[in-house]
Amino acid sequence: MKLAVFGPGLLGSSIALAARRRGDFRVAIWGRREEAVAELRAREIGDLASTDLAAVARDADLAVLCVPIGAMPALARQLAQMLPRTALVTDVGSVKAPVVHDLGAIFRGNARFVGSHPMAGSEQQGLHAARADLFEQHVCIVTPDAQSEPEAVAEISSFWERLGCLVRRLPPEEHDEIAAAISHVPHLLAAALVNAVAGANPDAFAFAGPGFRDTTRVASGPPEMWTEILGVNRRAVKKSAEAMIEKLREFLTLLDSPAAGGDATMNQFLTSAKAQRDRLRVRA
């Protein structure tokens, strides 16, 4: 099979590496800049690396869009005229409802589109951070809608499983609600915590240990990318952030009333959180 990857960042390059490691894909990868393509060739990340969009798209069986969400529609409109009608197309966007709506309409009648979101990113970006094992035992959410062909959904699910993912399926809107709660708002909270400490006492950073570093790790992610994600998913992010604010208000009430059972309730609050956190699968 020919796999065409559009975008040589962390996810795109890792997809190419993972697919090549399997040995049953011929991998072509497109980059906008000559410098990125030269690095792809030097690291032998694809069988073909090029700035020529048509050359990468030609005869592709499967295409994966790995560019920022805002750049996807324009790229999709170009690819819709280049890919074979039988090609399966997916993406790796962190927000799904608008992507599935826009790209589904663009590719309809030109190729078969099904949205995806591998939950395997990192605060590190760029092809220098790419790894063939990035997707191993990480969830990939496949997001079909009413127009998705069942066969295409099954094929894209199989693709991610072959790269090592644990595939789950969700409607695009439900994906965005969940992504806001477990990914987008945590990034916002990490950034808010760093900014709060910087505003209150920047000297405190000199004393920060593993707990602070682990809690705020994702705040090191690229600001431009996260500005786009939070803005595109703003309704779900706002809903999840308001729920978090309400939890903080509850906790402030407990701090104000230790003699009235506040400390006991605080212990229950923390015990419940520990039990839920301990149930999470630990992944590298």
Side-chain angles (χ1 to χ4, degrees):
M1 291 180 63
K2 179 179 177 180
L3 169 65
V5 178
F6 298 93
L10 171 65
L11 291 181
S13 295
S14 294
I15 289 169
L17 287 171
R20 288 198 81 195
R21 184 175 66 171
R22 284 193 52 86
D24 51 359
F25 288 99
R26 184 165 46 94
V27 180
I29 184 165
W30 171 82
R32 182 176 54 83
R33 296 180 300 109
E34 287 287 356
E35 297 86 350
V37 168
E39 189 171 351
L40 289 167
R41 290 170 180 160
R43 291 190 56 187
E44 298 182 341
I45 287 181
D47 298 289
L48 167 69
S50 177
T51 58
D52 186 339
L53 197 65
V56 173
R58 188 178 300 119
D59 300 325
D61 299 290
L62 173 62
V64 187
L65 277 62
C66 303
V67 297
I69 295 169
M72 284 187 184
L75 177 61
R77 280 189 283 271
Q78 290 180 276
L79 292 176
Q81 307 305 315
M82 299 175 179
L83 292 167
R85 287 183 178 271
T86 56
L88 180 64
V89 184
T90 192
D91 74 292
V92 297
S94 298
V95 185
K96 294 268 67 91
V99 170
V100 169
H101 177 271
D102 293 346
L103 270 59
I106 291 169
F107 284 113
R108 195 164 299 125
N110 296 301
R112 301 175 298 151
F113 175 78
V114 180
S116 304
H117 180 200
M119 306 291 286
S122 166
E123 75 280 5
Q124 300 181 48
Q125 292 295 305
L127 63 93
H128 67 277
R131 319 188 331 241
D133 65 348
L134 183 69
F135 306 100
E136 292 288 343
Q137 295 299 298
H138 283 75
V139 169
C140 179
I141 305 174
V142 175
T143 57
D145 64 2
Q147 283 72 46
S148 300
E149 300 176 10
E151 183 179 348
V153 176
E155 288 179 24
I156 195 58
S157 298
S158 175
F159 167 72
W160 288 115
E161 287 169 351
R162 290 160 78 183
L163 297 193
C165 288
L166 308 171
V167 173
R168 303 290 184 267
R169 297 179 188 175
L170 289 173
E173 295 76 13
E174 186 176 351
H175 164 279
D176 290 353
E177 295 276 353
I178 290 175
I182 64 171
S183 177
H184 304 166
V185 167
H187 186 94
L188 176 62
L189 291 174
L193 177 55
V194 172
N195 287 339
V197 173
N201 184 2
D203 292 338
F205 290 123
F207 304 93
F212 185 84
R213 289 195 297 269
D214 291 347
T215 302
T216 60
R217 175 183 60 82
V218 294
S220 292
E224 296 81 7
M225 181 185 81
W226 279 101
T227 297
E228 181 178 59
I229 290 171
L230 294 170
V232 173
N233 202 27
R234 67 181 67 239
R235 184 195 62 79
V237 168
K238 182 179 179 181
K239 177 181 177 182
S240 187
E242 286 173 342
M244 177 60 65
I245 291 168
E246 184 58 34
K247 283 295 179 186
L248 290 173
R249 288 198 180 108
E250 289 177 16
F251 198 81
L252 290 176
T253 301
L254 299 179
L255 291 174
D256 286 337
S257 55
D263 284 357
T265 305
M266 187 187 307
N267 183 270
Q268 294 173 4
F269 180 97
L270 297 173
T271 298
S272 175
K274 172 177 165 49
Q276 293 292 332
R277 176 61 178 83
D278 289 348
R279 290 171 56 192
L280 292 178
R281 291 176 61 100
V282 178
R283 304 183 184 96

mmCIF file of all heavy atoms in Angstrom, residues 125-144:
data_model
loop_
_atom_site.group_PDB
_atom_site.id
_atom_site.type_symbol
_atom_site.label_atom_id
_atom_site.label_comp_id
_atom_site.label_asym_id
_atom_site.label_seq_id
_atom_site.Cartn_x
_atom_site.Cartn_y
_atom_site.Cartn_z
ATOM 1 N N GLN A 125 7.897 19.082 19.643
ATOM 2 C CA GLN A 125 7.340 19.168 18.307
ATOM 3 C C GLN A 125 8.441 19.017 17.271
ATOM 4 O O GLN A 125 9.624 19.141 17.571
ATOM 5 C CB GLN A 125 6.627 20.515 18.119
ATOM 6 C CG GLN A 125 5.364 20.650 18.955
ATOM 7 C CD GLN A 125 4.289 19.664 18.554
ATOM 8 O OE1 GLN A 125 3.890 19.607 17.398
ATOM 9 N NE2 GLN A 125 3.808 18.886 19.505
ATOM 10 N N GLY A 126 8.030 18.729 16.051
ATOM 11 C CA GLY A 126 8.984 18.655 14.966
ATOM 12 C C GLY A 126 9.465 17.247 14.694
ATOM 13 O O GLY A 126 9.361 16.350 15.546
ATOM 14 N N LEU A 127 9.981 17.043 13.503
ATOM 15 C CA LEU A 127 10.368 15.694 13.097
ATOM 16 C C LEU A 127 11.570 15.172 13.881
ATOM 17 O O LEU A 127 11.801 13.968 13.943
ATOM 18 C CB LEU A 127 10.616 15.632 11.594
ATOM 19 C CG LEU A 127 11.752 16.458 10.983
ATOM 20 C CD1 LEU A 127 13.027 15.640 10.897
ATOM 21 C CD2 LEU A 127 11.354 16.919 9.590
ATOM 22 N N HIS A 128 12.350 16.072 14.524
ATOM 23 C CA HIS A 128 13.484 15.606 15.323
ATOM 24 C C HIS A 128 13.032 14.780 16.521
ATOM 25 O O HIS A 128 13.796 13.969 17.056
ATOM 26 C CB HIS A 128 14.317 16.803 15.814
ATOM 27 C CG HIS A 128 13.590 17.672 16.793
ATOM 28 N ND1 HIS A 128 12.705 18.660 16.400
ATOM 29 C CD2 HIS A 128 13.590 17.679 18.148
ATOM 30 C CE1 HIS A 128 12.209 19.242 17.467
ATOM 31 N NE2 HIS A 128 12.719 18.665 18.543
ATOM 32 N N ALA A 129 11.765 14.964 16.954
ATOM 33 C CA ALA A 129 11.237 14.224 18.101
ATOM 34 C C ALA A 129 10.465 12.980 17.683
ATOM 35 O O ALA A 129 9.939 12.257 18.528
ATOM 36 C CB ALA A 129 10.334 15.138 18.927
ATOM 37 N N ALA A 130 10.384 12.694 16.385
ATOM 38 C CA ALA A 130 9.580 11.566 15.882
ATOM 39 C C ALA A 130 10.146 10.229 16.350
ATOM 40 O O ALA A 130 11.356 10.045 16.461
ATOM 41 C CB ALA A 130 9.522 11.613 14.358
ATOM 42 N N ARG A 131 9.211 9.278 16.608
ATOM 43 C CA ARG A 131 9.595 7.937 17.049
ATOM 44 C C ARG A 131 8.676 6.923 16.394
ATOM 45 O O ARG A 131 7.467 7.144 16.290
ATOM 46 C CB ARG A 131 9.469 7.761 18.556
ATOM 47 C CG ARG A 131 9.915 8.874 19.400
ATOM 48 C CD ARG A 131 9.926 8.540 20.903
ATOM 49 N NE ARG A 131 8.973 7.565 21.356
ATOM 50 C CZ ARG A 131 8.017 7.835 22.256
ATOM 51 N NH1 ARG A 131 7.852 9.060 22.706
ATOM 52 N NH2 ARG A 131 7.226 6.873 22.683
ATOM 53 N N ALA A 132 9.231 5.791 16.019
ATOM 54 C CA ALA A 132 8.429 4.735 15.405
ATOM 55 C C ALA A 132 7.456 4.114 16.391
ATOM 56 O O ALA A 132 6.429 3.562 15.993
ATOM 57 C CB ALA A 132 9.346 3.656 14.819
ATOM 58 N N ASP A 133 7.743 4.195 17.699
ATOM 59 C CA ASP A 133 6.884 3.574 18.708
ATOM 60 C C ASP A 133 5.960 4.573 19.399
ATOM 61 O O ASP A 133 5.393 4.270 20.444
ATOM 62 C CB ASP A 133 7.733 2.850 19.751
ATOM 63 C CG ASP A 133 8.606 3.808 20.565
ATOM 64 O OD1 ASP A 133 8.722 4.989 20.179
ATOM 65 O OD2 ASP A 133 9.166 3.378 21.590
ATOM 66 N N LEU A 134 5.793 5.757 18.815
ATOM 67 C CA LEU A 134 5.017 6.811 19.471
ATOM 68 C C LEU A 134 3.585 6.382 19.768
ATOM 69 O O LEU A 134 2.992 6.803 20.757
ATOM 70 C CB LEU A 134 5.003 8.067 18.591
ATOM 71 C CG LEU A 134 4.288 9.292 19.189
ATOM 72 C CD1 LEU A 134 5.080 9.850 20.370
ATOM 73 C CD2 LEU A 134 4.088 10.378 18.135
ATOM 74 N N PHE A 135 3.017 5.523 18.915
ATOM 75 C CA PHE A 135 1.593 5.190 19.031
ATOM 76 C C PHE A 135 1.320 3.910 19.816
ATOM 77 O O PHE A 135 0.158 3.575 20.058
ATOM 78 C CB PHE A 135 0.981 5.071 17.631
ATOM 79 C CG PHE A 135 1.212 6.297 16.793
ATOM 80 C CD1 PHE A 135 2.222 6.319 15.838
ATOM 81 C CD2 PHE A 135 0.465 7.445 16.992
ATOM 82 C CE1 PHE A 135 2.463 7.454 15.085
ATOM 83 C CE2 PHE A 135 0.705 8.591 16.249
ATOM 84 C CZ PHE A 135 1.707 8.598 15.293
ATOM 85 N N GLU A 136 2.370 3.205 20.213
ATOM 86 C CA GLU A 136 2.197 1.930 20.884
ATOM 87 C C GLU A 136 1.370 2.082 22.166
ATOM 88 O O GLU A 136 1.721 2.832 23.071
ATOM 89 C CB GLU A 136 3.554 1.314 21.235
ATOM 90 C CG GLU A 136 4.375 0.879 20.037
ATOM 91 C CD GLU A 136 3.808 -0.374 19.364
ATOM 92 O OE1 GLU A 136 2.996 -1.073 19.991
ATOM 93 O OE2 GLU A 136 4.191 -0.631 18.209
ATOM 94 N N GLN A 137 0.249 1.348 22.210
ATOM 95 C CA GLN A 137 -0.622 1.285 23.386
ATOM 96 C C GLN A 137 -1.250 2.628 23.755
ATOM 97 O O GLN A 137 -1.685 2.822 24.887
ATOM 98 C CB GLN A 137 0.132 0.716 24.591
ATOM 99 C CG GLN A 137 0.560 -0.730 24.423
ATOM 100 C CD GLN A 137 -0.649 -1.652 24.217
ATOM 101 O OE1 GLN A 137 -1.512 -1.766 25.099
ATOM 102 N NE2 GLN A 137 -0.725 -2.305 23.063
ATOM 103 N N HIS A 138 -1.302 3.552 22.802
ATOM 104 C CA HIS A 138 -2.016 4.798 23.012
ATOM 105 C C HIS A 138 -3.348 4.752 22.260
ATOM 106 O O HIS A 138 -3.452 4.123 21.208
ATOM 107 C CB HIS A 138 -1.195 5.995 22.516
ATOM 108 C CG HIS A 138 -0.096 6.386 23.454
ATOM 109 N ND1 HIS A 138 1.054 5.665 23.579
ATOM 110 C CD2 HIS A 138 0.015 7.427 24.328
ATOM 111 C CE1 HIS A 138 1.841 6.233 24.478
ATOM 112 N NE2 HIS A 138 1.241 7.301 24.950
ATOM 113 N N VAL A 139 -4.323 5.422 22.810
ATOM 114 C CA VAL A 139 -5.651 5.443 22.197
ATOM 115 C C VAL A 139 -5.646 6.321 20.951
ATOM 116 O O VAL A 139 -5.044 7.396 20.933
ATOM 117 C CB VAL A 139 -6.698 5.960 23.201
ATOM 118 C CG1 VAL A 139 -8.038 6.237 22.506
ATOM 119 C CG2 VAL A 139 -6.898 4.956 24.330
ATOM 120 N N CYS A 140 -6.297 5.838 19.913
ATOM 121 C CA CYS A 140 -6.622 6.672 18.761
ATOM 122 C C CYS A 140 -8.141 6.703 18.646
ATOM 123 O O CYS A 140 -8.785 5.645 18.577
ATOM 124 C CB CYS A 140 -6.011 6.139 17.464
ATOM 125 S SG CYS A 140 -6.436 7.166 16.022
ATOM 126 N N ILE A 141 -8.707 7.892 18.646
ATOM 127 C CA ILE A 141 -10.152 8.036 18.538
ATOM 128 C C ILE A 141 -10.509 8.258 17.075
ATOM 129 O O ILE A 141 -10.069 9.227 16.457
ATOM 130 C CB ILE A 141 -10.659 9.209 19.394
ATOM 131 C CG1 ILE A 141 -10.209 9.041 20.849
ATOM 132 C CG2 ILE A 141 -12.185 9.298 19.318
ATOM 133 C CD1 ILE A 141 -10.537 10.230 21.733
ATOM 134 N N VAL A 142 -11.292 7.352 16.524
ATOM 135 C CA VAL A 142 -11.799 7.462 15.160
ATOM 136 C C VAL A 142 -13.204 8.054 15.251
ATOM 137 O O VAL A 142 -14.019 7.617 16.062
ATOM 138 C CB VAL A 142 -11.791 6.097 14.458
ATOM 139 C CG1 VAL A 142 -12.431 6.175 13.075
ATOM 140 C CG2 VAL A 142 -10.356 5.574 14.349
ATOM 141 N N THR A 143 -13.480 9.072 14.404
ATOM 142 C CA THR A 143 -14.705 9.862 14.582
ATOM 143 C C THR A 143 -15.576 9.880 13.327
ATOM 144 O O THR A 143 -15.658 10.901 12.628
ATOM 145 C CB THR A 143 -14.338 11.303 14.984
ATOM 146 O OG1 THR A 143 -13.479 11.864 13.963
ATOM 147 C CG2 THR A 143 -13.605 11.333 16.312
ATOM 148 N N PRO A 144 -16.240 8.783 13.021
ATOM 149 C CA PRO A 144 -17.135 8.772 11.862
ATOM 150 C C PRO A 144 -18.375 9.635 12.113
ATOM 151 O O PRO A 144 -18.753 9.888 13.259
ATOM 152 C CB PRO A 144 -17.522 7.296 11.742
ATOM 153 C CG PRO A 144 -17.374 6.743 13.127
ATOM 154 C CD PRO A 144 -16.225 7.500 13.746
#
